[in-house]
Amino acid sequence: MLLKPPDAPKRGLGFVLNWDARRSFVKNQRVNIWGVNTGIVFGKKRNQITVGYYWLNFNSYQKLIDFRRTNSKLVNLDSYTKTDLYFFSLMYWKNFIETRRWRVSMPVEVGIGATKNQGTELLTEIQIWKRKDFFLPVQSGLYAKWKATRWVGLSIQGGYRYALISQNIQQNYDGFYYSFGAELQPELFRDVYRWLFKGKKTEATISTQP
């Protein structure tokens, strides 16, 4: 049985936090790119502006290694632990459809990233623009979500990533990306919050009675 759909969108500002796991293709191999972004949601159609952090770790990058017997002796795993990729991204979600049941939008992103070297300090990683090896990815695609219930939705997205600038980066990270899965609706957290604090208020009222 479906729960009551979410209320109609509001016009005020809101806060959003997204876990964004994608599958992508690099050098004709499928890899996983993990990420998280946060920002504001605004307007009647609930457009979003977010900033995010994404990374391609060693376990994913192993898929790019050719393990054929003829090349097995040439593979140096120590060198590949230095090729983890990460990038920061600024994203704008333009919603074309925002109803109680559906959301269809076009996310547009621009970022800056580099390869993650062993022993690199956190401050050095953040100041990518000071490094000699970096790239500027731009991404765009389509996103659709069916709000199955008030608390859960099903989504799918796909797009293309292009390195606008690539300096001293050996690997070409241009390629398609996609994701699909279930999402928790903001109404779930709002309902839990209201339930928790409503319960506390009720207890306080009872305890103050003579």
Side-chain angles (χ1 to χ4, degrees), residues 38-194:
T38 183
I40 60 172
V41 55
F42 59 94
K44 183 178 180 180
K45 291 193 173 181
R46 313 313 284 158
N47 298 321
Q48 298 181 21
I49 297 178
T50 63
V51 291
Y53 177 78
Y54 295 82
W55 68 94
L56 170 67
N57 59 25
F58 174 56
N59 290 333
S60 296
Y61 202 90
Q62 279 183 314
K63 295 182 179 181
L64 303 181
I65 303 176
D66 185 359
F67 282 105
R68 292 180 301 178
R69 291 184 178 179
T70 56
N71 294 334
S72 61
K73 294 182 179 180
L74 301 179
V75 174
N76 182 357
L77 292 181
D78 291 336
S79 66
Y80 282 91
T81 60
K82 299 180 181 181
T83 53
D84 295 355
L85 178 75
Y86 69 100
F87 61 91
F88 298 92
S89 183
L90 175 65
M91 183 187 306
Y92 173 62
W93 296 72
K94 172 62 179 178
N95 293 338
F96 298 103
I97 298 176
E98 176 67 21
T99 67
R100 291 186 173 183
R101 286 297 186 193
W102 293 97
R103 172 181 295 168
V104 177
S105 63
M106 182 178 69
V108 179
E109 305 173 59
V110 59
I112 181 170
T115 54
K116 186 174 182 180
N117 298 321
Q118 289 180 334
T120 303
E121 296 180 355
L122 177 61
L123 183 60
T124 303
E125 289 188 1
I126 296 176
Q127 297 176 322
I128 299 177
W129 57 89
K130 293 185 178 181
R131 296 182 51 167
K132 295 182 180 180
D133 59 323
F134 68 93
F135 74 110
L136 299 178
V138 292
Q139 302 179 95
S140 183
L142 289 175
Y143 169 92
K145 179 168 74 170
W146 173 48
K147 304 171 187 178
T149 73
R150 178 177 174 83
W151 291 352
V152 179
L154 301 176
S155 67
I156 183 173
Q157 72 167 319
Y160 188 81
R161 178 184 57 261
Y162 173 73
L164 188 64
I165 297 176
S166 182
Q167 181 173 312
N168 297 323
I169 300 292
Q170 296 181 357
Q171 179 65 46
N172 181 0
Y173 289 102
D174 296 351
F176 291 95
Y177 68 87
Y178 68 95
S179 69
F180 55 87
E183 295 185 4
L184 298 178
Q185 299 275 71
E187 285 75 14
L188 170 61
F189 304 100
R190 295 191 188 119
D191 291 347
V192 171
Y193 177 85
R194 291 168 183 168

Side-chain angles (χ1 to χ4, degrees), residues 192-203:
V192 171
Y193 177 85
R194 291 168 183 168
W195 178 77
L196 290 175
F197 280 85
K198 182 179 180 180
K200 290 183 178 180
K201 290 180 179 179
T202 302
E203 293 176 0

